[in-house]
Each structure stands twice: as C-alpha cells, then as structure tokens.
Amino acid sequence: DTEVTQTPKHLVMGMTNKKSLKCEQHMGHRAMYWYKQKAKKPPELMFVYSYEKLSINESVPSRFSPECPNSSLLNLHLHALQPEDSALYLCASSRNLAGGPQETQYFGPGTRLLVL
Amino acid sequence: KNQVEQSPQSLIILEGKNCTLQCNYTVSPFSNLRWYKQDTGRGPVSLTIMTFSENTKSNGRYTATLDADTKQSSLHITASQLSDSASYICVVRGGSNDYKLSFGAGTTVTVRA
C-alpha cells in the first residue's frame, strides 16, 4: 500500500468557522508533511512531523494548527482563516525525515479549500 | 539559494507525438531528483527518481535523464496520450536541509487529439 489519503476532498468554510483536514498513511512512514499549493504554483512546505513530534514549522500563521495523534494520522486544524488561505492543501509522507538518496515523499490527492 | 528551473512553461502536442521537458537545478549538495505528474487539483504522483549515479530511468512511456555534472535533467514522453495532459514537476532533494524539497514551477503539457 503506497497510498496517502486525505479527507475531505473539498471544503468551503467561512472566516469564523473551525474545520479540520485529515491525512492518513499505512506505509509505516515516520515523517509526515503539510504543504499549501496555490494555483499554478509549486507546493510550499508548512509543517513537518517526525516520529509524531513537530520538527519544522515554516513560520506558518497560528490560525493553522497541526496535530499528529499517532504515527498514521496527521490533522490540520483551521480557525479564523482568510480568503487568501484558499488553496490546495497537500499531505505527504516519507520513511524518515532524512533517509538518504532514495528517500522520497509520497503525496496525497489534496484537499481543495475555499475560504469565503 | 537552491533553485529548480523548468522549461518550457507550457507546451501543446498532438496525440501520438513525443516531447521533452527540461529541468536545471542549483541544489547542492544533491540527494535525488524526481519527476512528478500532477493533474489539476490533485496531488503530485511520482514518475521517476534518480540519484547521483544514475543517468537514465524509465517508467513506461516516460524516460528521465540526469547529468549531475551540468545539473540538468530531462523527461521524455513517448507516444503521448490524452491522459498525459498534466503539469510535470521537477523536484530536487538536497541542500543544507535534506528534508526540504526544491520544486520547479512545472511544465504544463496539453495533448490534443
């Protein structure tokens, strides 16, 4: 199983709403990532978890709150978002954070978020 | 600064024809280079991965090459199909933060019947 799943596929929320994005993998990977991708732009790294601990926060605003309940799950909690936060949110996983030349990240299908 | 540049930005080809996409990078030290295919609104799907010692790697109708000396890679699509219409992204792993991927802006390929 080389699949990363994400739910929901689409999400529309108002600026006062609280919502969560979910990501799951069963490949035994110990590193998981959240990316934000705007249209026609490359993905931008947001957070990295390694062994269920937050390792990297790329100066992301506090209205985005990640959570890693266990080694297979990664959540992204959203609160008081702005319209400019509308984007495709991608989850990825890899065996380890720095696993050598063959290390690669497997991406999920993404959640398309629209903030009104 | 680690950079990945791709060309062309977009191209249109007729079904059944071949095309080649280019990727130049400045990431150092280099760990690996991967080509991803991304359909609109979907996550990237890996096509090939190459490390420093590999010159070429094939995956069906996709063939990637790597010249680590000149820091250039190409992706060749043979006998294109309508389903090949997508964005193709060159991604390099390496640099001072090995976990961090450097993404190219992508080449948008449109295959027409």
Side-chain angles (χ1 to χ4, degrees):
Chain A
D1 182 7
T2 58
E3 190 178 23
V4 177
T5 59
Q6 290 187 243
T7 56
K9 291 184 179 179
H10 303 276
L11 178 62
V12 180
M13 60 186 291
M15 289 188 284
T16 59
N17 292 157
K18 285 184 180 181
K19 297 287 184 183
S20 296
L21 309 184
K22 297 185 183 301
C23 173
E24 190 167 1
Q25 57 86 15
H26 295 288
M27 295 179 277
H29 289 176
R30 303 317 298 264
M32 297 185 76
Y33 312 76
W34 279 116
Y35 288 86
K36 172 184 178 181
Q37 186 178 24
K38 303 285 276 186
K40 300 189 185 299
K41 298 288 187 182
E44 298 175 4
L45 184 65
M46 300 174 71
F47 302 104
V48 182
Y49 272 81
S50 179
Y51 287 85
E52 301 159 50
K53 294 190 187 308
L54 182 63
S55 295
I56 291 119
N57 177 341
E58 293 283 320
S59 302
V60 179
S62 60
R63 57 185 185 270
F64 295 92
S65 176
E67 178 198 17
C68 190
N70 60 56
S71 60
S72 298
L73 295 174
L74 185 66
N75 297 324
L76 185 62
H77 302 297
L78 314 172
H79 174 54
L81 294 194
Q82 303 296 311
E84 59 264 30
D85 295 322
S86 299
L88 181 68
Y89 287 84
L90 295 166
C91 174
S93 72
S94 64
R95 279 180 303 170
N96 291 293
L97 191 57
Q102 290 292 337
E103 189 64 84
T104 189
Q105 294 182 21
Y106 294 87
F107 287 85
T111 292
R112 181 159 295 282
L113 174 67
L114 177 61
V115 182
L116 300 176
Chain B
K1 181 181 178 183
N2 293 326
Q3 286 189 311
V4 179
E5 295 188 355
Q6 293 187 240
S7 62
Q9 187 175 22
S10 63
L11 66 92
I12 300 173
I13 57 174
L14 293 177
E15 188 178 14
K17 299 296 185 182
N18 305 336
C19 67
T20 300
L21 317 179
Q22 300 292 341
C23 173
N24 297 334
Y25 63 91
T26 61
V27 178
S28 181
F30 173 84
S31 185
N32 65 43
L33 184 147
R34 189 176 280 269
W35 284 92
Y36 285 90
K37 177 186 178 185
Q38 186 174 22
D39 293 312
T40 302
R42 305 286 293 174
V45 175
S46 174
L47 295 175
T48 64
I49 180 173
M50 286 181 293
T51 60
F52 185 86
S53 59
E54 296 174 299
N55 301 118
T56 186
K57 187 73 71 77
S58 290
N59 177 2
R61 294 179 298 101
Y62 301 103
T63 299
T65 66
L66 174 66
D67 186 333
D69 292 330
T70 61
K71 298 189 176 181
Q72 295 179 324
S73 177
S74 67
L75 180 69
H76 187 75
I77 305 175
T78 303
S80 61
Q81 301 177 356
L82 296 177
S83 59
D84 292 332
S85 296
S87 178
Y88 291 83
I89 306 173
C90 177
V91 182
V92 181
R93 182 184 174 107
S96 56
N97 294 315
D98 187 53
Y99 66 88
K100 201 164 184 177
L101 303 180
S102 297
F103 290 83
T107 293
T108 301
V109 174
T110 302
V111 181
R112 290 190 174 159

